[in-house]
Amino acid sequence: QIEASTAIPSLADLCDDHISSPQRLSVIEPGLFSTYGKLPRFHGQIETVRCFESNPMVRTVLSSPGKNRVLVVDGGGSKRVAILGDQIAKLAVDNCWAGVIVNGCIRDSAIINGLNIGVKALGTHPVKSLKTHPGERGVPVNFAGVEFVPGQWVYSDEDGIVVSNEAIHE
């Protein structure tokens, strides 16, 4: 079970320590993502899914052991359906994922807000996604001014989201 960590420095402190270092941080465009789940501060190695308004691959990935990783989902920025709902978010918790970042919408936000996970998304939408296209796993995705590559590290807190090529926390 993932717990909120006070041992991890804030994004502001990580940026102060690493913004000019050789592993320069990539900072997500501010103001795009809302925070959901009980853990506003989360981090982990990146796994990715690219899908558009169809989420079977999101379910598949979050049904597998997360090992405290963060799933980054490029839903194409669609606000016409939700890519993540409470059932799939519960799978993420049960399989030890640290968090999920969705370039798209979620639903069941009241239930997700009670789960021990961190979620960032563009917003909420009550309509579930299609199940017609599987999506792609483990591919670089690019949104909000940053490229997310599987194996990189992502850090998220109340101030935003940053990506690093390597772990920068102790």
Side-chain angles (χ1 to χ4, degrees):
Q1 208 59 334
I2 308 294
E3 296 296 329
S5 176
T6 56
I8 301 302
S10 70
L11 285 187
D13 289 340
L14 286 174
C15 286
D16 288 350
D17 292 343
H18 297 281
I19 201 71
S20 62
S21 69
Q23 72 267 15
R24 183 166 169 80
L25 304 179
S26 298
V27 180
I28 302 305
E29 184 179 335
L32 297 177
F33 291 89
S34 297
T35 301
Y36 305 93
K38 287 174 71 175
L39 304 180
R41 184 178 291 187
F42 61 93
H43 72 281
Q45 276 194 292
I46 294 172
E47 175 61 275
T48 63
V49 167
R50 180 186 299 131
C51 58
F52 185 73
E53 298 182 357
S54 183
N55 72 352
M57 187 61 70
V58 174
R59 176 181 287 278
T60 297
V61 172
L62 293 176
S63 294
S64 67
K67 301 175 186 171
N68 297 326
R69 290 177 293 163
V70 175
L71 180 62
V72 177
V73 180
D74 185 358
S78 174
K79 293 185 177 181
R80 299 189 311 181
V81 298
I83 293 294
L84 180 76
D86 65 324
Q87 293 176 5
I88 296 177
K90 286 177 187 172
L91 289 173
V93 172
D94 292 345
N95 288 298
C96 296
W97 288 86
V100 183
I101 298 171
V102 181
N103 183 29
C105 290
I106 68 163
R107 67 187 214 154
D108 306 311
S109 62
I111 296 169
I112 290 173
N113 284 338
L115 297 178
N116 203 28
I117 192 164
V119 176
K120 295 277 190 165
L122 297 179
T124 60
H125 198 290
V127 176
K128 67 181 177 180
S129 79
L130 305 171
K131 311 294 184 228
T132 54
H133 306 291
E136 299 173 273
R137 178 182 187 169
V139 296
V141 297
N142 193 317
F143 58 86
V146 171
E147 182 176 46
F148 300 85
V149 177
Q152 289 181 324
W153 286 79
V154 65
Y155 297 84
S156 178
D157 76 3
E158 300 86 348
D159 290 338
I161 304 168
V162 298
V163 175
S164 176
N165 287 331
E166 56 193 52
I168 57 171
H169 63 286
E170 297 180 17

